[in-house]
Amino acid sequence: MGERCIPLHIGDTYRLPPAAARDALRDAVKKEIDSTRYFKYTHPAGMPSLLEALVKKLKRDNGIEASPANLQVTCGATHALCAVAQTVLNPGDEVIVLCPHWPLIRGIVESIGGKVVDASFGGAVADPEATLAGLINENTKAVYFANPNNPDGRLLDRAECEKLYRFCRRHDLLIWSDEAYEHIVFDGREKQSMGALDNGSDSPRVLSVFTFSKSFGMAGMRVGYVVGPPSQMEYVRRVSTHQVYDLCELNQAAAAACLSQADETYDHFLKEQRDEYQRARDLLHSAFPDCPLSPGGAYLFVPFESREAAWKAMVAWLEEGVSSAPGEAFGGLHPHCLRLCFTAVPYPRLEEAVEIIRRVGVPS
């Protein structure tokens, strides 16, 4: 559809990365483009200066105590989860995935012969024993969820995290905590990182995945990372080496520059982003006042009366230039929903999309 399409189907951003990241790229091109520096291999685990910066960031932003040995820099969060899955799973092993879920996790697990078992996110948070215990068998290895969640923005507080953590400890399950949207939290809420509950534990079990794609608007540069127990990370590192070997130092340097800003500059960038995205969330929500208001992330997950009604709306909006994503992509429990991203286009363009949705309405 070209420029006619207002792309609300994918979790992208219209914002630029921090100035520090862009300056780092400019300086690299000016000073090093005629040397071999950025054309050589780097350390497979990640650039040492980036690893050190990540240790400080994890403590400051997430309350996670880590060392460089606990870390692996990856080709985005997608690769991070691929490395985790290949480390943990054998063919036939199962992962309980809290739904609605990020679409690619199913393919990541299934591509190595594993099986995804859908479970209600709401039920798991309210009563993990009642919701999840019956799904566990000898092949169950882990529970996966995103926090804030993609697609509905669900945000776990500390009490909810502790409840899930105790459940997984009781049943000897690993936790795959996808925190791609860690800083995109609205209405003054605070986010709890599951990995912080492993601090000082005699049986750590959380593998946390992060990325520079969402918080810092660097999706195309593909820089993510995994942090977890050394006993697991030793093998995550080996797997990652055999998957991508290393990341370009230029991309890692831009990521490191994001973390090396002065605290007030760093905080200002993230606050400005949250404020802009919250304003966009509220605008899109005005077209769906009965839809739950996302406490975090980049999307509204809009329920309809049925799968058929959702598809009719998606097609009708698409014919007028607004794209959305079908609910069945986010697990088997939500085919009656559509996901719409409110961070992908600037505010005036989002206003156009809202006008189209209101005009077209929901076809009967």
Side-chain angles (χ1 to χ4, degrees):
M1 296 177 69
E3 292 298 319
R4 177 171 167 259
C5 182
I6 304 176
L8 306 189
H9 66 288
I10 191 166
D12 218 331
T13 182
Y14 61 88
R15 285 174 53 88
L16 285 170
R22 290 178 279 136
D23 289 343
L25 293 171
R26 288 192 195 96
D27 289 346
V29 170
K30 288 178 183 177
K31 297 175 182 177
E32 304 285 355
I33 198 66
D34 291 320
S35 77
T36 60
R37 176 174 179 179
Y38 295 116
F39 302 102
K40 290 183 175 182
Y41 291 116
T42 59
H43 194 289
M47 192 170 70
S49 60
L50 176 56
L51 294 175
E52 291 291 348
L54 289 172
V55 169
K56 295 176 183 177
K57 176 266 176 188
L58 286 164
K59 179 66 173 177
R60 179 188 63 214
D61 292 5
N62 309 102
I64 296 175
E65 296 175 1
S67 73
N70 294 86
L71 285 160
Q72 170 66 47
V73 175
T74 60
C75 186
T78 302
H79 170 231
L81 285 160
C82 287
V84 167
Q86 193 164 335
T87 299
V88 171
L89 302 179
N90 289 314
D93 284 346
E94 299 182 1
V95 179
I96 297 173
V97 173
L98 305 191
C99 296
H101 63 66
W102 174 61
L104 271 63
I105 191 62
R106 184 175 297 274
I108 286 170
V109 171
E110 292 179 350
S111 68
I112 57 174
K115 179 184 177 183
V116 166
V117 178
D118 290 343
S120 164
F121 207 142
V125 169
D127 190 342
E129 197 68 42
T131 302
L132 304 179
L135 303 177
I136 296 173
N137 59 52
E138 62 183 8
N139 297 317
T140 308
K141 295 297 186 291
V143 174
Y144 164 89
F145 58 88
N147 180 33
N149 192 33
N150 173 3
D152 63 357
R154 178 184 287 274
L155 184 69
L156 299 182
D157 61 26
R158 184 174 181 87
E160 292 167 333
C161 284
E162 289 176 342
K163 195 185 301 184
L164 276 172
Y165 185 86
R166 288 194 298 269
F167 170 84
C168 290
R169 186 178 177 111
R170 201 157 50 241
H171 293 276
D172 196 24
L173 299 175
L174 292 171
I175 298 168
W176 300 356
S177 182
D178 180 345
E179 304 193 24
Y181 296 89
E182 58 174 326
H183 296 109
I184 307 176
V185 176
F186 306 125
D187 305 313
R189 292 179 172 89
E190 294 184 3
K191 189 190 80 66
Q192 170 68 41
S193 286
M194 183 68 79
L197 303 182
D198 262 350
N199 293 341
S201 172
D202 60 355
S203 180
R205 60 192 59 253
V206 183
L207 289 150
S208 301
V209 170
F210 299 89
T211 179
F212 286 81
S213 295
K214 309 303 180 183
S215 295
F216 302 104
M218 294 170 58
M221 301 203 76
R222 311 309 302 137
V223 183
Y225 53 103
V226 189
V227 58
S231 58
Q232 295 287 334
M233 292 306 301
E234 176 185 357
Y235 297 100
V236 170
R237 284 181 156 194
R238 294 184 188 185
V239 167
S240 179
T241 296
H242 286 82
Q243 290 175 330
V244 301
Y245 189 72
D246 70 340
L247 263 70
C248 172
E249 183 181 347
L250 186 65
N251 296 26
Q252 293 186 68
C258 292
L259 304 181
S260 62
Q261 303 173 86
D263 287 350
E264 58 270 22
T265 306
Y266 180 88
D267 293 339
H268 175 76
F269 177 86
L270 293 174
K271 180 182 184 305
E272 183 181 68
Q273 175 177 254
R274 281 193 300 272
D275 290 347
E276 285 190 25
Y277 286 169
Q278 183 169 322
R279 180 171 174 247
R281 177 204 64 173
D282 294 346
L283 170 62
L284 185 59
H285 187 261
S286 69
F288 307 101
D290 295 330
C291 175
L293 191 62
S294 302
Y299 315 97
L300 289 185
F301 201 49
V302 182
F304 292 80
E305 291 184 358
S306 64
R307 175 186 181 275
E308 291 71 25
W311 274 91
K312 282 184 179 179
M314 184 176 68
V315 171
W317 299 341
L318 188 61
E319 288 175 348
E320 297 298 319
V322 177
S323 60
S324 57
E328 56 203 64
F330 305 93
L333 307 180
H334 298 84
H336 62 294
C337 296
L338 295 179
R339 189 194 74 174
L340 296 96
C341 178
F342 49 78
T343 68
V345 295
Y347 196 87
R349 193 78 164 129
L350 187 61
E351 286 182 311
E352 292 180 41
V354 169
E355 289 175 6
I356 290 170
I357 290 169
R358 284 176 172 158
R359 172 169 54 80
V360 174
V362 179
S364 58

